[in-house]
Amino acid sequence: RNLRQVRTDYNRFKCDVLLLEEEFEKLQISKFNRGESLLVAVLKLCCGIIFAILSLAWVLQIIMSVIVPQISGQPGPPFLNSLLAACEDAGLYPLGVALYACFNFYMLICVVKGCTKFGMRIAFFLSIHPMRAQNTPLNSILFNVEMLLVSSGALVQFSQTTFSDYARLTEADVIFSAQIQRLTFYRFFFENHIFIITMLTVFLIALIFLLVRPRDQGSV
């Protein structure tokens, strides 16, 4: 119990140090550079808008391709599948692959950012490993790489389920739709989309929580 408390206190200390370092960097920019560059601010705003659109598109795609068929028993609206199919029909195969890759890479970015956010809010469960330019320890790099490797398999299955029309007749479709989903233990979870519904529920809870407490707060 004492060891667990020490680890929790150490994780909270790391969170406080990270917040102090970020505030110190902002003070340095305000004092020596008279504020952040306008170009950087505009780029951050554009990235925030793009990421918000991607998040909304993912939620709508999950609802239309997973939740609606689960409730009605009929195929849901194609939504993003129709966009990717239109790229194929027009012969723009690289564009369709690029859009599909963007949606999946965005989910991997969310994994890395989510681990940091989760560690900042729940210090007793997970230590933070932020990725910062020219200031990232080796253990933080290895931790984030491990998280990406662990989540990559789940992401492949997730994207194959939500983009089932676009991912048809692929190796992922054969592995997850024809083999893994037929395993005795996992069959119930895949047939009822337990994993995806759980992820969507966690997303909604996290969204409400971050709207109520949008900023990370230190313990001191």
Side-chain angles (χ1 to χ4, degrees), residues 17-172:
V17 170
L18 178 62
L19 291 176
L20 288 174
E21 289 178 347
E22 291 178 349
E23 291 297 326
F24 181 70
E25 290 177 0
K26 293 177 182 178
L27 289 175
Q28 282 188 316
I29 293 175
S30 300
K31 180 178 180 180
F32 298 107
N33 300 331
R34 296 182 179 179
E36 192 174 48
S37 172
L38 179 60
L39 178 61
V40 175
V42 172
L43 288 176
K44 288 182 178 180
L45 176 62
C46 293
C47 289
I49 295 174
I50 293 173
F51 290 161
I53 294 173
L54 289 174
S55 296
L56 181 61
W58 261 121
V59 173
L60 293 177
Q61 180 68 15
I62 293 172
I63 294 175
M64 293 181 182
S65 64
V66 177
I67 306 299
V68 172
Q70 184 73 21
I71 296 176
S72 63
Q74 301 293 330
F79 191 47
L80 294 178
N81 280 304
S82 61
L83 175 62
L84 299 176
C87 294
E88 281 192 339
D89 295 338
L92 301 175
Y93 300 103
L95 179 59
V97 173
L99 290 174
Y100 184 73
C102 286
F103 280 101
N104 286 279
F105 280 129
Y106 174 67
M107 293 297 289
L108 292 177
I109 294 173
C110 291
V111 170
V112 177
K113 185 64 177 178
C115 288
T116 303
K117 279 290 183 182
F118 191 78
M120 292 292 292
R121 304 304 176 97
I122 308 179
F124 69 88
F125 185 79
L126 183 67
S127 177
I128 60 171
H129 293 274
M131 302 284 287
R132 293 180 292 182
Q134 300 180 353
N135 192 22
T136 304
L138 180 60
N139 64 326
S140 295
I141 296 177
L142 294 176
F143 175 84
N144 286 283
V145 170
E146 182 181 358
M147 292 302 300
L148 292 178
L149 292 175
V150 170
S151 60
S152 293
L155 177 60
V156 173
Q157 188 274 331
F158 170 68
S159 60
Q160 183 274 325
T161 302
T162 51
F163 293 101
S164 56
D165 294 340
Y166 183 75
R168 66 191 184 281
L169 303 179
T170 59
E171 291 296 331

Side-chain angles (χ1 to χ4, degrees), residues 176-190:
F176 291 104
S177 297
Q179 297 179 7
I180 295 182
Q181 289 190 15
R182 299 296 183 268
L183 294 176
T184 303
F185 178 78
Y186 293 103
R187 185 171 184 175
F188 171 80
F189 296 96
F190 282 114

